Amino acid sequence: MVIEEQKDTLESTESSLEKQEENIQDVTAVESGLEEYEETTNDISGRD
């Protein structure tokens, strides 16, 4: 009985971690896009 509960908890935790990892990858992609946008904007405006 206890083992089944632990297994359910572990599976739930694993699922949650996978979702968090996806979110981190999304945030990282957005940050990269913002950095590129900033560099492009600086190039256009002649700022460093």
Side-chain angles (χ1 to χ4, degrees):
M1 186 73 154
V2 173
I3 292 175
E4 279 298 318
E5 291 174 7
Q6 289 177 340
K7 181 181 175 188
D8 291 344
T9 301
L10 181 60
E11 288 173 350
S12 176
T13 302
E14 182 179 24
S15 175
S16 177
L17 287 172
E18 288 172 354
K19 289 178 185 175
Q20 288 179 35
E21 184 177 8
E22 290 172 8
N23 290 339
I24 289 169
Q25 290 172 353
D26 290 346
V27 168
T28 302
V30 169
E31 285 178 340
S32 294
L34 288 173
E35 289 172 2
E36 289 179 24
Y37 175 79
E38 182 181 19
E39 289 173 9
T40 302
T41 303
N42 288 340
D43 289 345
I44 292 170
S45 64
R47 293 188 218 151
D48 284 325

